[in-house]
Amino acid sequence: MTTASLTQSTGVEFTRIYSYGAARGDLVVPNSDLIGPIDSSDEWIQQRTGIITRTRASAGILAVDLATDAAREAIEKSGISADKIDLVIVATIGNVQQTPSLAAVLADRVGSNPAAAYDTNAACAGFSYGVTQADALIRSGAAHYALVVGAEKLSDIVSPTDRSISFLLGDGAGAVVIGPSDFPGIAAPVWGSDGSKADAVGMDHTLVDFRDGTASWPTLRQDGQVVFRWAVWEMAKVAKQALEVAGITAADLAAFVPHQANMRIIDELAKQLKLPETVTIGRDIATTGNTSAASIPLATHRLLAEHPELSSGLCLQIGFGAGLVFGAQVVVLP
């Protein structure tokens, strides 16, 4: 038996988000373009979801292209050289090429080779998961600076005739750079899943089914009522727990940015949290649509652009989605 002892890594005490970057699809798609295949109306979509338009990407634009644009903006604004970023995490369900990872390609594109790079699939909670992992890895000493991106081209994986979800979805990417901090900038997460309800939202078939000719191309579907009830009642509890573990109250928040799933869900969560009028709420869904893992950084990016006074304020971010996976934490806005 060897008597040698291992050296384990140790890192910094605190981390924070340095900057946000964003990229939306190049096409603005109004409700009127989608109502025919689902036999609906602009009024019905707006009443049920709050969506007026959504952004989608042209055929030649991939999720990795959106991720690249968002990442370059975040890196430039962070003041950190791309070659100092040694961890790249991309949250996505919209990468139609199973391998190589979108993150590895992205790291090369932005000049962060040979950063550790991987994709994570936690659907609409993916960005929260990525932030949690980056924070932990930097504080452990396994990384020094991280690029975390939520990137989706959901228009590639939705059926235009599906009434349950097709009108909700948009394309886009949001990115952040995370690194060491002199003060606590990312609170402990409240995260988890409920796989017992996995059938409530997800792909309707597998690639094997499609290959074997027993099913059509897999697309996203959902049971809207199940997802709505779960999001409203269970995620309000998660959001309250996130405030508790951060050691703050709703009155301490400058902003609240939930996953942009549905305007009614956003408004109901804000009501249950008893948010004061001083809290600015992200409602990017009205013109961007539901962009899954990209929705939180996209909505936060827009809030910071429209309300620069939010800088240095506390923001509660909460993601939830397919597989009934959820993640929430309070962060200090850059």
PDB file of all heavy atoms in Angstrom, residues 98-122:
ATOM      1  N   GLN A  98     -25.963  14.809 -31.862  1.00  0.00           N
ATOM      2  CA  GLN A  98     -25.766  14.244 -30.535  1.00  0.00           C
ATOM      3  C   GLN A  98     -24.335  14.421 -30.029  1.00  0.00           C
ATOM      4  O   GLN A  98     -24.105  14.623 -28.850  1.00  0.00           O
ATOM      5  CB  GLN A  98     -26.133  12.759 -30.533  1.00  0.00           C
ATOM      6  CG  GLN A  98     -27.607  12.492 -30.797  1.00  0.00           C
ATOM      7  CD  GLN A  98     -28.502  12.975 -29.677  1.00  0.00           C
ATOM      8  OE1 GLN A  98     -28.434  12.471 -28.571  1.00  0.00           O
ATOM      9  NE2 GLN A  98     -29.334  13.955 -29.950  1.00  0.00           N
ATOM     10  N   THR A  99     -23.377  14.274 -30.922  1.00  0.00           N
ATOM     11  CA  THR A  99     -21.973  14.440 -30.555  1.00  0.00           C
ATOM     12  C   THR A  99     -21.214  14.885 -31.789  1.00  0.00           C
ATOM     13  O   THR A  99     -21.606  14.522 -32.904  1.00  0.00           O
ATOM     14  CB  THR A  99     -21.389  13.110 -29.989  1.00  0.00           C
ATOM     15  OG1 THR A  99     -20.093  13.347 -29.447  1.00  0.00           O
ATOM     16  CG2 THR A  99     -21.299  12.022 -31.043  1.00  0.00           C
ATOM     17  N   PRO A 100     -20.199  15.735 -31.682  1.00  0.00           N
ATOM     18  CA  PRO A 100     -19.579  16.220 -30.456  1.00  0.00           C
ATOM     19  C   PRO A 100     -20.475  17.212 -29.718  1.00  0.00           C
ATOM     20  O   PRO A 100     -21.462  17.690 -30.278  1.00  0.00           O
ATOM     21  CB  PRO A 100     -18.315  16.918 -30.975  1.00  0.00           C
ATOM     22  CG  PRO A 100     -18.706  17.406 -32.333  1.00  0.00           C
ATOM     23  CD  PRO A 100     -19.570  16.320 -32.896  1.00  0.00           C
ATOM     24  N   SER A 101     -20.092  17.510 -28.503  1.00  0.00           N
ATOM     25  CA  SER A 101     -20.888  18.427 -27.707  1.00  0.00           C
ATOM     26  C   SER A 101     -20.853  19.819 -28.327  1.00  0.00           C
ATOM     27  O   SER A 101     -19.859  20.237 -28.947  1.00  0.00           O
ATOM     28  CB  SER A 101     -20.358  18.494 -26.271  1.00  0.00           C
ATOM     29  OG  SER A 101     -19.111  19.170 -26.221  1.00  0.00           O
ATOM     30  N   LEU A 102     -21.950  20.524 -28.163  1.00  0.00           N
ATOM     31  CA  LEU A 102     -22.010  21.911 -28.606  1.00  0.00           C
ATOM     32  C   LEU A 102     -20.967  22.738 -27.860  1.00  0.00           C
ATOM     33  O   LEU A 102     -20.346  23.640 -28.423  1.00  0.00           O
ATOM     34  CB  LEU A 102     -23.427  22.455 -28.367  1.00  0.00           C
ATOM     35  CG  LEU A 102     -23.847  23.762 -29.032  1.00  0.00           C
ATOM     36  CD1 LEU A 102     -25.359  23.810 -29.185  1.00  0.00           C
ATOM     37  CD2 LEU A 102     -23.375  24.964 -28.250  1.00  0.00           C
ATOM     38  N   ALA A 103     -20.747  22.410 -26.591  1.00  0.00           N
ATOM     39  CA  ALA A 103     -19.810  23.166 -25.758  1.00  0.00           C
ATOM     40  C   ALA A 103     -18.380  23.097 -26.280  1.00  0.00           C
ATOM     41  O   ALA A 103     -17.648  24.088 -26.268  1.00  0.00           O
ATOM     42  CB  ALA A 103     -19.862  22.659 -24.319  1.00  0.00           C
ATOM     43  N   ALA A 104     -17.954  21.917 -26.750  1.00  0.00           N
ATOM     44  CA  ALA A 104     -16.593  21.768 -27.253  1.00  0.00           C
ATOM     45  C   ALA A 104     -16.380  22.610 -28.508  1.00  0.00           C
ATOM     46  O   ALA A 104     -15.339  23.264 -28.671  1.00  0.00           O
ATOM     47  CB  ALA A 104     -16.296  20.299 -27.536  1.00  0.00           C
ATOM     48  N   VAL A 105     -17.375  22.595 -29.395  1.00  0.00           N
ATOM     49  CA  VAL A 105     -17.289  23.411 -30.602  1.00  0.00           C
ATOM     50  C   VAL A 105     -17.279  24.892 -30.237  1.00  0.00           C
ATOM     51  O   VAL A 105     -16.514  25.687 -30.796  1.00  0.00           O
ATOM     52  CB  VAL A 105     -18.464  23.087 -31.549  1.00  0.00           C
ATOM     53  CG1 VAL A 105     -18.443  23.990 -32.768  1.00  0.00           C
ATOM     54  CG2 VAL A 105     -18.424  21.622 -31.964  1.00  0.00           C
ATOM     55  N   LEU A 106     -18.120  25.264 -29.288  1.00  0.00           N
ATOM     56  CA  LEU A 106     -18.200  26.657 -28.851  1.00  0.00           C
ATOM     57  C   LEU A 106     -16.888  27.125 -28.235  1.00  0.00           C
ATOM     58  O   LEU A 106     -16.418  28.236 -28.524  1.00  0.00           O
ATOM     59  CB  LEU A 106     -19.340  26.817 -27.839  1.00  0.00           C
ATOM     60  CG  LEU A 106     -19.512  28.207 -27.241  1.00  0.00           C
ATOM     61  CD1 LEU A 106     -19.863  29.228 -28.319  1.00  0.00           C
ATOM     62  CD2 LEU A 106     -20.582  28.191 -26.152  1.00  0.00           C
ATOM     63  N   ALA A 107     -16.278  26.303 -27.384  1.00  0.00           N
ATOM     64  CA  ALA A 107     -15.014  26.678 -26.754  1.00  0.00           C
ATOM     65  C   ALA A 107     -13.963  27.003 -27.804  1.00  0.00           C
ATOM     66  O   ALA A 107     -13.197  27.969 -27.676  1.00  0.00           O
ATOM     67  CB  ALA A 107     -14.525  25.553 -25.843  1.00  0.00           C
ATOM     68  N   ASP A 108     -13.921  26.216 -28.870  1.00  0.00           N
ATOM     69  CA  ASP A 108     -12.968  26.469 -29.946  1.00  0.00           C
ATOM     70  C   ASP A 108     -13.299  27.753 -30.683  1.00  0.00           C
ATOM     71  O   ASP A 108     -12.409  28.557 -30.990  1.00  0.00           O
ATOM     72  CB  ASP A 108     -12.971  25.281 -30.911  1.00  0.00           C
ATOM     73  CG  ASP A 108     -12.014  25.469 -32.070  1.00  0.00           C
ATOM     74  OD1 ASP A 108     -10.813  25.632 -31.825  1.00  0.00           O
ATOM     75  OD2 ASP A 108     -12.479  25.468 -33.228  1.00  0.00           O
ATOM     76  N   ARG A 109     -14.570  27.965 -30.953  1.00  0.00           N
ATOM     77  CA  ARG A 109     -14.987  29.157 -31.708  1.00  0.00           C
ATOM     78  C   ARG A 109     -14.631  30.456 -30.989  1.00  0.00           C
ATOM     79  O   ARG A 109     -14.264  31.440 -31.636  1.00  0.00           O
ATOM     80  CB  ARG A 109     -16.491  29.119 -31.968  1.00  0.00           C
ATOM     81  CG  ARG A 109     -16.931  28.170 -33.062  1.00  0.00           C
ATOM     82  CD  ARG A 109     -18.389  28.428 -33.389  1.00  0.00           C
ATOM     83  NE  ARG A 109     -18.882  27.602 -34.479  1.00  0.00           N
ATOM     84  CZ  ARG A 109     -20.060  27.796 -35.060  1.00  0.00           C
ATOM     85  NH1 ARG A 109     -20.861  28.773 -34.643  1.00  0.00           N
ATOM     86  NH2 ARG A 109     -20.439  27.016 -36.056  1.00  0.00           N
ATOM     87  N   VAL A 110     -14.777  30.473 -29.673  1.00  0.00           N
ATOM     88  CA  VAL A 110     -14.573  31.732 -28.948  1.00  0.00           C
ATOM     89  C   VAL A 110     -13.140  31.911 -28.454  1.00  0.00           C
ATOM     90  O   VAL A 110     -12.813  32.932 -27.858  1.00  0.00           O
ATOM     91  CB  VAL A 110     -15.551  31.862 -27.756  1.00  0.00           C
ATOM     92  CG1 VAL A 110     -16.991  31.823 -28.247  1.00  0.00           C
ATOM     93  CG2 VAL A 110     -15.305  30.784 -26.704  1.00  0.00           C
ATOM     94  N   GLY A 111     -12.280  30.913 -28.680  1.00  0.00           N
ATOM     95  CA  GLY A 111     -10.878  31.045 -28.287  1.00  0.00           C
ATOM     96  C   GLY A 111     -10.562  30.560 -26.898  1.00  0.00           C
ATOM     97  O   GLY A 111      -9.610  31.050 -26.280  1.00  0.00           O
ATOM     98  N   SER A 112     -11.317  29.582 -26.412  1.00  0.00           N
ATOM     99  CA  SER A 112     -11.092  29.073 -25.055  1.00  0.00           C
ATOM    100  C   SER A 112     -10.501  27.667 -25.027  1.00  0.00           C
ATOM    101  O   SER A 112     -10.503  27.011 -23.987  1.00  0.00           O
ATOM    102  CB  SER A 112     -12.402  29.091 -24.259  1.00  0.00           C
ATOM    103  OG  SER A 112     -12.872  30.407 -24.080  1.00  0.00           O
ATOM    104  N   ASN A 113     -10.000  27.174 -26.135  1.00  0.00           N
ATOM    105  CA  ASN A 113      -9.281  25.898 -26.111  1.00  0.00           C
ATOM    106  C   ASN A 113      -8.073  25.994 -25.178  1.00  0.00           C
ATOM    107  O   ASN A 113      -7.390  27.012 -25.164  1.00  0.00           O
ATOM    108  CB  ASN A 113      -8.778  25.551 -27.528  1.00  0.00           C
ATOM    109  CG  ASN A 113      -9.762  24.698 -28.299  1.00  0.00           C
ATOM    110  OD1 ASN A 113     -10.631  24.068 -27.723  1.00  0.00           O
ATOM    111  ND2 ASN A 113      -9.633  24.679 -29.612  1.00  0.00           N
ATOM    112  N   PRO A 114      -7.740  24.990 -24.372  1.00  0.00           N
ATOM    113  CA  PRO A 114      -8.399  23.678 -24.278  1.00  0.00           C
ATOM    114  C   PRO A 114      -9.294  23.575 -23.052  1.00  0.00           C
ATOM    115  O   PRO A 114      -9.105  22.715 -22.193  1.00  0.00           O
ATOM    116  CB  PRO A 114      -7.202  22.742 -24.155  1.00  0.00           C
ATOM    117  CG  PRO A 114      -6.235  23.544 -23.311  1.00  0.00           C
ATOM    118  CD  PRO A 114      -6.441  24.989 -23.662  1.00  0.00           C
ATOM    119  N   ALA A 115     -10.271  24.436 -22.931  1.00  0.00           N
ATOM    120  CA  ALA A 115     -11.157  24.424 -21.767  1.00  0.00           C
ATOM    121  C   ALA A 115     -11.899  23.099 -21.656  1.00  0.00           C
ATOM    122  O   ALA A 115     -12.223  22.464 -22.663  1.00  0.00           O
ATOM    123  CB  ALA A 115     -12.171  25.560 -21.877  1.00  0.00           C
ATOM    124  N   ALA A 116     -12.177  22.683 -20.423  1.00  0.00           N
ATOM    125  CA  ALA A 116     -13.120  21.584 -20.209  1.00  0.00           C
ATOM    126  C   ALA A 116     -14.471  22.044 -20.746  1.00  0.00           C
ATOM    127  O   ALA A 116     -14.883  23.185 -20.502  1.00  0.00           O
ATOM    128  CB  ALA A 116     -13.224  21.252 -18.730  1.00  0.00           C
ATOM    129  N   ALA A 117     -15.143  21.188 -21.506  1.00  0.00           N
ATOM    130  CA  ALA A 117     -16.383  21.619 -22.154  1.00  0.00           C
ATOM    131  C   ALA A 117     -17.359  20.458 -22.230  1.00  0.00           C
ATOM    132  O   ALA A 117     -16.989  19.356 -22.625  1.00  0.00           O
ATOM    133  CB  ALA A 117     -16.095  22.147 -23.557  1.00  0.00           C
ATOM    134  N   TYR A 118     -18.603  20.723 -21.853  1.00  0.00           N
ATOM    135  CA  TYR A 118     -19.626  19.688 -21.954  1.00  0.00           C
ATOM    136  C   TYR A 118     -21.011  20.316 -22.015  1.00  0.00           C
ATOM    137  O   TYR A 118     -21.218  21.457 -21.583  1.00  0.00           O
ATOM    138  CB  TYR A 118     -19.541  18.704 -20.781  1.00  0.00           C
ATOM    139  CG  TYR A 118     -19.762  19.304 -19.409  1.00  0.00           C
ATOM    140  CD1 TYR A 118     -21.033  19.334 -18.818  1.00  0.00           C
ATOM    141  CD2 TYR A 118     -18.694  19.805 -18.669  1.00  0.00           C
ATOM    142  CE1 TYR A 118     -21.229  19.862 -17.559  1.00  0.00           C
ATOM    143  CE2 TYR A 118     -18.879  20.331 -17.399  1.00  0.00           C
ATOM    144  CZ  TYR A 118     -20.153  20.366 -16.853  1.00  0.00           C
ATOM    145  OH  TYR A 118     -20.338  20.900 -15.588  1.00  0.00           O
ATOM    146  N   ASP A 119     -21.942  19.547 -22.575  1.00  0.00           N
ATOM    147  CA  ASP A 119     -23.346  19.948 -22.614  1.00  0.00           C
ATOM    148  C   ASP A 119     -24.079  19.345 -21.425  1.00  0.00           C
ATOM    149  O   ASP A 119     -23.728  18.264 -20.947  1.00  0.00           O
ATOM    150  CB  ASP A 119     -24.024  19.448 -23.889  1.00  0.00           C
ATOM    151  CG  ASP A 119     -23.472  20.087 -25.154  1.00  0.00           C
ATOM    152  OD1 ASP A 119     -22.691  21.053 -25.046  1.00  0.00           O
ATOM    153  OD2 ASP A 119     -23.820  19.608 -26.249  1.00  0.00           O
ATOM    154  N   THR A 120     -25.106  20.035 -20.978  1.00  0.00           N
ATOM    155  CA  THR A 120     -25.957  19.500 -19.922  1.00  0.00           C
ATOM    156  C   THR A 120     -27.409  19.629 -20.357  1.00  0.00           C
ATOM    157  O   THR A 120     -27.799  20.617 -20.978  1.00  0.00           O
ATOM    158  CB  THR A 120     -25.728  20.241 -18.586  1.00  0.00           C
ATOM    159  OG1 THR A 120     -26.524  19.646 -17.562  1.00  0.00           O
ATOM    160  CG2 THR A 120     -26.070  21.712 -18.682  1.00  0.00           C
ATOM    161  N   ASN A 121     -28.203  18.601 -20.080  1.00  0.00           N
ATOM    162  CA  ASN A 121     -29.596  18.578 -20.490  1.00  0.00           C
ATOM    163  C   ASN A 121     -30.475  18.571 -19.243  1.00  0.00           C
ATOM    164  O   ASN A 121     -30.706  17.528 -18.639  1.00  0.00           O
ATOM    165  CB  ASN A 121     -29.889  17.349 -21.346  1.00  0.00           C
ATOM    166  CG  ASN A 121     -31.347  17.269 -21.781  1.00  0.00           C
ATOM    167  OD1 ASN A 121     -32.185  18.033 -21.323  1.00  0.00           O
ATOM    168  ND2 ASN A 121     -31.648  16.350 -22.680  1.00  0.00           N
ATOM    169  N   ALA A 122     -30.918  19.742 -18.862  1.00  0.00           N
ATOM    170  CA  ALA A 122     -31.914  19.859 -17.799  1.00  0.00           C
ATOM    171  C   ALA A 122     -33.059  20.729 -18.296  1.00  0.00           C
ATOM    172  O   ALA A 122     -33.729  21.399 -17.508  1.00  0.00           O
ATOM    173  CB  ALA A 122     -31.304  20.441 -16.533  1.00  0.00           C
TER     174      ALA A 122
END
